[in-house]
Amino acid sequence: MMQQTADALRDFTARYCQHWQQHYGHAPASADLPGVPSPCAIEERGDCVLWQPQPFSLPPSLEAVERALDIQLQPSITAFYTSQFAGDMQARYAQRKLTLLQVWSEEDFLRLQENLIGHLVMKRRLKLPPTLFIATTDSEEEIISLSNLSGEVILEQPGRKNVEFLAQNIEIFLKHLQPFMGGSADNAL
């Protein structure tokens, strides 16, 4: 499952980068990351940084999260966050706009693990099933997560019990994602 997840993520990332190149004539751009060191950064243009995905250079493990909570994580979440360094990517899943979260650098990977721990601690305190976020949505009240129990991708409202099923697993979710540029400031270079 880890290899299929990594392959599906790389495939979506390649489609995302190709979409940028076809529509804007350059690599993906982010207005959130200029000046932030990363192996992905290839050029700064104004208030944006152009980036390309790079191989993940750390051991492919989320053991720090597992140890902190004495929990075993779905292998696909490890593959999702340890396959590459990349910028966050805007996409559509069905009609839902989302931002697929990615690891920008080694330092960002440490922050990600701390955030995953915090998220799982909150879920535990509220006596809710463990989930691991993989994307944000336009709504501040909804995130897209992986159920650590079933491996399904779900839409959830942190702190609430209700969830909406999106896909059987991350691989299927990634295969159905479509790159989406929207009208963000990142496009205007």
Side-chain angles (χ1 to χ4, degrees):
M1 184 59 117
M2 285 186 70
Q3 189 59 50
Q4 292 94 334
T5 299
D7 290 345
L9 178 61
R10 281 193 274 282
D11 177 63
F12 173 73
T13 305
R15 288 187 289 124
Y16 184 81
C17 292
Q18 181 180 27
H19 194 76
W20 268 88
Q21 192 64 45
Q22 287 174 342
H23 285 80
Y24 304 110
H26 58 75
S30 174
D32 298 327
L33 300 167
V36 180
S38 170
C40 302
I42 55 174
E43 178 185 346
E44 290 206 17
R45 288 190 187 174
D47 293 338
C48 294
V49 62
L50 303 186
W51 61 268
Q52 283 292 305
Q54 296 297 316
F56 194 75
S57 58
L58 298 168
S61 170
L62 289 172
E63 283 181 29
V65 177
E66 292 179 320
R67 273 194 317 272
L69 292 153
D70 193 26
I71 189 173
Q72 184 173 352
L73 299 179
Q74 288 278 335
S76 57
I77 196 70
T78 300
F80 179 78
Y81 280 124
T82 65
S83 294
Q84 65 184 14
F85 289 116
D88 294 344
M89 296 177 274
Q90 290 71 44
R92 278 190 190 272
Y93 185 82
Q95 295 304 312
R96 189 175 321 279
K97 288 187 254 177
L98 62 97
T99 300
L100 195 67
L101 302 175
Q102 289 291 279
V103 175
W104 181 245
S105 64
E106 290 183 7
E107 186 176 303
D108 190 35
F109 184 62
L110 296 174
R111 272 192 302 277
L112 167 75
Q113 292 178 89
E114 292 168 357
N115 290 336
L116 287 171
I117 290 168
H119 178 78
L120 287 164
V121 165
M122 179 220 28
K123 297 293 251 174
R124 189 174 278 177
R125 282 188 185 141
L126 295 172
K127 297 184 169 113
L128 295 171
T131 62
L132 302 139
F133 52 80
I134 61 169
T136 60
T137 66
D138 286 346
S139 169
E140 291 184 15
E141 296 182 17
E142 295 178 324
I143 59 173
I144 296 174
S145 298
L146 174 78
S147 166
N148 198 54
L149 300 179
S150 67
E152 296 171 336
V153 177
I154 58 171
L155 179 73
E156 68 173 333
Q157 296 176 342
R160 301 215 174 121
K161 232 178 191 164
N162 296 345
V163 299
E164 180 184 327
F165 172 84
L166 297 178
Q168 186 177 350
N169 57 46
I170 290 181
E171 179 186 355
I172 291 170
F173 178 76
L174 291 168
K175 286 182 177 182
H176 287 92
L177 279 184
Q178 293 302 315
F180 178 73
M181 304 302 123
S184 75
D186 294 343
N187 301 342
L189 291 180

